[in-house]
Amino acid sequence: MQARLLLEDGTLFTGSAFGAEGETTGEVVFNTGITGYQEVLSDPSYCGQIVTMTFPLIGNYGITRDDFESVAPYVHGFVVRRHETVPSNWRAEYSVDTLLKEYGIVGISDIDTRMLTRLIRSHGTMKGILTTSAQSVEELRERLAASALMTDQVSRVSTKHTYNSPGARERIVLIDYGAKSGILRELTSRGCDVVVVPHDTTAEEIRRLNPDGIQLSNGPGDPKDVPHAIQTIKELLGEYPIFGICLGHQLFALACGADTEKLKFGHRGGNHPVKDLATNRCYITSQNHGYTVKDDSIAGTELEITHINNNDKTVEGLKHKKYPAFTVQYHPEAAPGPFDNSYLFDEFLKMIADHKQQKPAKPRQAELAAAVKGAR
């Protein structure tokens, strides 16, 4: 079956369909990862996007239950040069084609993904329509022009109910803006008592959980589309240690008076070099974001830039000069990807321990179950 991808600049790609039949619209982006297509497909930060993989062979090691970053894929479409229908991997349970069919995701293969990537790099991310239908190009163009990019992605991907992953150490409230499983995995592997709450949980509801620290998760879209999250962070700042990742980093910056802007084509891949300004060390990072904190907006705030991207010098890390809070634009929980940055979770726990020494801990016996129940 034939599939077509039409971009808003009029460029048309015709290739082979795989995955589900149908039609979808979204922002067309590219990811430069050589491995990790399953994690890309299941990363909630891709909600509303048609993802192009620059690596030419996708699906060669199949799909495995244990490698999902969320319970279901959130991409709107999948674009590859070639997809492998018969994966070779002892862990593989089924193919990419089967996964896309199961979740109703349209895919297109056998197109020039290098040309598509160069177009996006030259002109920026574009709206696109991906279809297996036989409609005329003019009809597709009209449908694309009439469509709008999503602005409510966070509400779509965030958990709807509060839940607890018990642990014996620090209690961390993880605000879920589209959290990858890797964040929960890193926290629980350190013995943390993690309470995951919806994106619209208020500061007062979080206080009732009596946390030791607040984790701001990754998530999709424009941070300015979730103003309630910015307000919640403002109210919690200074009360609890805070660690933000990706969208959480951007929301934290906005809460502190900085500004954000859209990148031309974003950072999506597993090999982005980031410089730690305190040590001059370069870390290889996994990234997935289309927005960035404006560096010239940091002046006049109580924020300090801690990391920058070595490719384009964009802001990759912040810390608060007065309160125990720091954030990074990249993904220290990345899997697959570089493990250089998982130490940041240890830094977060150390910050919590230091904060506790300065501020006596409150009793918190048996309140969690009632608070979680009340938040549901």
Side-chain angles (χ1 to χ4, degrees):
M1 180 181 294
Q2 187 181 85
R4 290 174 295 167
L5 172 65
L6 178 66
L7 304 181
E8 62 181 311
D9 71 347
T11 305
L12 177 67
F13 294 87
T14 301
S16 303
F18 73 110
E21 297 181 29
E23 182 176 296
T24 187
T25 59
E27 182 185 29
V28 183
V29 301
F30 66 85
N31 183 290
T32 58
I34 295 175
T35 62
Y37 53 81
Q38 181 175 343
E39 288 82 353
V40 168
L41 286 166
S42 58
D43 182 348
S45 295
Y46 283 108
C47 180
Q49 295 178 330
I50 298 172
V51 181
T52 303
M53 301 300 295
T54 62
F55 188 71
L57 179 59
I58 299 298
N60 52 332
Y61 56 85
I63 298 292
T64 304
R65 183 195 64 179
D66 295 338
D67 291 342
F68 282 98
E69 284 295 326
S70 62
V71 295
Y74 285 101
V75 301
H76 274 205
F78 202 44
V79 183
V80 301
R81 177 68 183 87
R82 172 185 166 188
H83 83 280
E84 182 55 64
T85 57
V86 184
S88 177
N89 178 7
W90 66 272
R91 297 175 68 242
E93 297 172 14
Y94 47 93
S95 67
V96 172
D97 180 60
T98 301
L99 176 71
L100 298 189
K101 282 185 168 70
E102 180 179 353
Y103 289 98
I105 299 169
V106 182
I108 183 172
S109 64
D110 299 321
I111 70 164
D112 190 343
T113 51
R114 177 177 290 184
M115 174 186 173
L116 175 55
T117 301
R118 289 175 66 117
L119 275 173
I120 296 172
R121 284 184 60 89
S122 297
H123 303 292
T125 57
M126 287 181 273
K127 189 168 58 172
I129 184 168
L130 175 58
T131 183
T132 61
S133 73
Q135 297 177 73
S136 69
V137 174
E138 186 55 40
E139 287 176 309
L140 292 179
R141 188 176 291 113
E142 291 175 0
R143 291 173 67 83
L144 179 59
S147 68
L149 293 176
M150 293 174 58
T151 59
D152 62 343
Q153 299 99 310
V154 168
S155 64
R156 292 173 181 248
V157 301
S158 174
T159 181
K160 301 298 185 288
H161 304 287
T162 298
Y163 63 92
N164 179 218
S165 182
R169 291 189 60 188
E170 294 83 354
R171 179 175 298 163
I172 308 298
V173 167
L174 169 57
I175 306 180
D176 180 7
Y177 306 119
K180 293 168 59 183
S181 298
I183 297 177
L184 184 60
R185 182 171 59 246
E186 289 288 346
L187 292 171
T188 55
S189 70
R190 289 164 170 79
C192 294
D193 182 27
V194 185
V195 185
V196 184
V197 300
H199 68 98
D200 54 357
T201 304
T202 66
E204 184 54 39
E205 289 170 332
I206 290 173
R207 290 187 187 105
R208 292 193 203 113
L209 297 171
N210 199 13
D212 296 311
I214 309 293
Q215 177 82 66
L216 310 176
S217 85
N218 64 289
D222 185 344
K224 294 177 181 176
D225 288 338
V226 277
H228 58 273
I230 299 169
Q231 181 59 38
T232 297
I233 295 168
K234 283 182 181 180
E235 294 179 32
L236 295 173
L237 181 62
E239 290 187 45
Y240 308 98
I242 293 176
F243 175 27
I245 294 173
C246 198
L247 181 65
H249 158 85
Q250 298 163 11
L251 292 169
F252 174 78
L254 291 170
C256 293
D259 196 11
T260 57
E261 63 183 348
K262 187 175 177 61
L263 291 166
K264 185 176 181 180
F265 49 80
H267 299 163
R268 298 175 180 89
N271 61 348
H272 290 260
V274 167
K275 182 180 180 180
D276 184 334
L277 297 180
T279 64
N280 260 359
R281 178 174 175 179
C282 180
Y283 292 91
I284 300 303
T285 70
S286 176
Q287 302 198 10
N288 173 19
H289 59 100
Y291 291 81
T292 186
V293 176
K294 296 173 68 173
D295 58 354
D296 58 3
S297 73
I298 302 299
T301 72
E302 292 187 293
L303 297 176
E304 177 182 339
I305 298 175
T306 59
H307 298 74
I308 60 169
N309 189 296
N310 271 354
N311 287 336
D312 60 10
K313 310 307 178 185
T314 52
V315 177
E316 293 283 359
L318 295 168
K319 72 175 181 179
H320 202 280
K321 295 177 181 178
K322 181 179 178 182
Y323 300 125
F326 72 93
T327 62
V328 291
Q329 181 63 79
Y330 51 93
H331 288 269
E333 83 291 349
F339 299 121
D340 307 31
N341 307 287
S342 60
Y343 76 93
L344 291 172
F345 291 95
D346 299 314
E347 293 290 320
F348 180 38
L349 297 184
K350 183 180 183 302
M351 184 171 68
I352 290 173
D354 293 343
H355 181 69
K356 281 184 175 181
Q357 288 182 350
Q358 300 169 12
K359 184 177 180 181
K362 297 178 182 178
R364 59 175 197 175
Q365 297 296 323
E367 293 184 6
L368 177 61
V372 169
K373 184 177 180 181
R376 286 176 176 167

